[in-house]
Amino acid sequence: MRILVIGSGGREHALVWKLRQSPKVTRIYVAPGNGGIAAEGVTSVPLAVDDIPALVRFAREQRIDLAVPGPELPLTLGITDAMQDAGIPCFGPSRHCAQLEGSKAFAKEAMRKAGIPTARSATFTDYEAARENILAVGAPIVIKADGLAAGKGVVVARSTQEALDALDEIMKSRVHGAAGDTVVVEECLEGEEASFLCFCDGATAVPLPSAQDHKAAYDDDQGPNTGGMGAYSPAPILPDEEADHMADLVIRPLLRVLAEEGHPFKGVLYAGLMMTPEGPKVLEYNVRFGDPECQPLLMRLTADLADAMLACVRGTLAETPLTYTPRTALGVVVAAEGYPGAYAKGMEITGISDADALPGVKVFHSGTRAEGDKLLSSGGRVLCVTALGDDLDDARKNAYAAVAKICMPHGRFRHDIGRKGILRLQKKK
Ligand code: AMP
Ligand code: GLY
């Protein structure tokens, strides 16, 4: 099998690493990839993730058997439909289904139709109407730009003024451009968050184990939101044995509604959950693997990832066993100082091979590039150092022991990845 992976982050490195383990996979291309992915012995192709015609042309020329887009952008641009039109199987939802991530208003409406628990909300295209709603409801309240905004389109406002300022920024100053032409104003939920992903083949949904991301930049969930500073699986707040029940609650009803409307969802569907005192509620859907959740999740997957992805595309997931190790995996993101704000690039990274040599450790590259025989940082998130362990505490120790081997000037990482889960497990004892 010849595979084309699309993307350039730690998630895509994990996808490539796992797909390479499949005896069926003979060749992997990655567009555009990064320094660490290239070192996996795959072929990097300098094509941008949003250049759909060029990606389709390349896939056709190279007789690709499966295209695997990592990020949301190509999916919302319709890469799956375009690949299919060219006769190339593509692991991911259609452009229609990708609106679950590409439009928060679309996702809210789909959840309403499917009866999925979520925050109460109202959708507005009119600034004055949105403003009146905020004044009527009061704080705390959540303001969301409808479209893709690189994870920056959500403001959890603690005061009415903060909410009104956010509305002005989104609708008047248009800081996210057209993504803010529509806004969703939403009830603020309290609780612990968890990531819940399912493989989907249009009709069947098979859960992956739960995971937990760490979105804030600094320890104790302080500082600005990032793409994610670390993740682990399973999340004790959602044990593996409860995954099937969770799929019945937040994934399967949605698949049914989409299929009935003629748009079967294929690929991976990710529900961002808030575990509230009244039960789990969906904060958002993503139509792809999370980054960094993908890294620990794929370290736990013992089944053949190429088989699982093909089963999603072909509609044979019900007959395809998915297996995971019961061990825990935990990843710590090493970032450039300043991220998610301005940060320096081009710092030399050393010690990765020492970290990789530790048992059960894999260093996934998020933003690196090779220059001669040196490896330099090229992004805000640079590495995701991931380790398996017998339990959460063991995985955490192993991951931080690996982080300690790595040297990067102006690098920083959170020291408390996994702490919430460890506290929860201690309380249970
Ligand atoms: P989203 O892109 O919708 O997941 O929002 C990003 C982050 O904003 C989530 O991970 C939550 O931390 C927070 N968030 C979103 N919606 C809500 C809500 N209704 N109540 C509280 N926090 C929220
Ligand atoms: N880690 C959250 C995301 O990928 O959206």
Side-chain angles (χ1 to χ4, degrees), residues 214 219 229-230 330-333 358 361 385-387 393-406 413-419:
H214 296 65
D219 286 13
M229 293 298 290
L330 182 143
V332 178
V333 169
L358 295 171
V361 169
V385 182
T386 311
D393 201 36
D394 192 39
R396 183 181 63 90
K397 283 191 189 121
N398 293 344
Y400 279 105
V403 170
K405 301 272 182 201
I406 290 168
F413 55 87
R414 274 182 65 160
H415 300 80
D416 63 345
I417 304 303
R419 187 184 288 161

Side-chain angles (χ1 to χ4, degrees), residues 216-282:
Y218 308 123
D219 286 13
D220 299 320
D221 291 333
Q222 299 298 305
N225 253 354
T226 68
M229 293 298 290
Y232 60 96
S233 169
I237 194 162
L238 177 51
D240 289 357
E241 55 276 15
E242 287 171 25
D244 207 55
H245 172 68
M246 189 58 74
D248 281 339
L249 192 67
V250 303
I251 303 285
R252 292 182 180 126
L254 189 58
L255 284 202
R256 263 195 297 279
V257 164
L258 288 166
E260 277 164 16
E261 292 179 349
H263 297 287
F265 186 102
K266 297 182 175 196
V268 71
L269 183 54
Y270 162 151
L273 301 176
M274 186 71 94
M275 308 300 270
T276 77
E278 305 97 66
K281 294 190 181 179
V282 174

Side-chain angles (χ1 to χ4, degrees), residues 22 35 74 93 96 98 145 161 177 180 211 262 264 272 290 297 329 344 368 408-409:
S22 167
H96 180 88
Q161 193 53 50
L297 283 173
T368 67
M408 182 179 96

